[in-house]
Amino acid sequence: MITLSQVTTVLGWASLLNIGYLLLATGMVYLMRNFIKSVHRSMFDLTDAKLSEAYFDFLANFKIITVAFFIVPYLSLKVMGY
């Protein structure tokens, strides 16, 4: 049987992993923008403006999903005392 404290622990670690990945992806896009764009331009037929928009959309959606599905449930369970 899975307890709420185990779910809280899993959500806490999943939150940390997702935040770490979000920081890594943001850093890569910010610091290695030209290299990443050249790789994606060779794979897909997109302009620089479309690639920048796609990167922004990806990071924004990933942040929303991380907050909604990992951080908020974790904080809710912590506040309830689990």
Side-chain angles (χ1 to χ4, degrees), residues 10-70:
V10 168
L11 284 171
W13 283 109
S15 297
L16 284 176
L17 289 173
N18 278 296
I19 290 168
Y21 177 74
L22 182 62
L23 291 173
L24 177 69
T26 302
M28 296 281 286
V29 168
Y30 181 73
L31 296 173
M32 301 179 66
R33 180 179 310 236
N34 292 331
F35 174 72
I36 292 172
K37 280 187 177 182
S38 69
V39 169
H40 288 145
R41 253 194 315 261
S42 68
M43 293 170 56
F44 308 107
D45 188 28
L46 295 172
T47 63
D48 279 347
K50 286 288 185 184
L51 282 172
S52 293
E53 184 180 338
Y55 299 150
F56 182 79
D57 287 344
F58 166 74
L59 293 172
N61 289 332
F62 193 83
K63 181 173 56 174
I64 290 168
I65 289 170
T66 298
V67 169
F69 291 108
F70 295 103

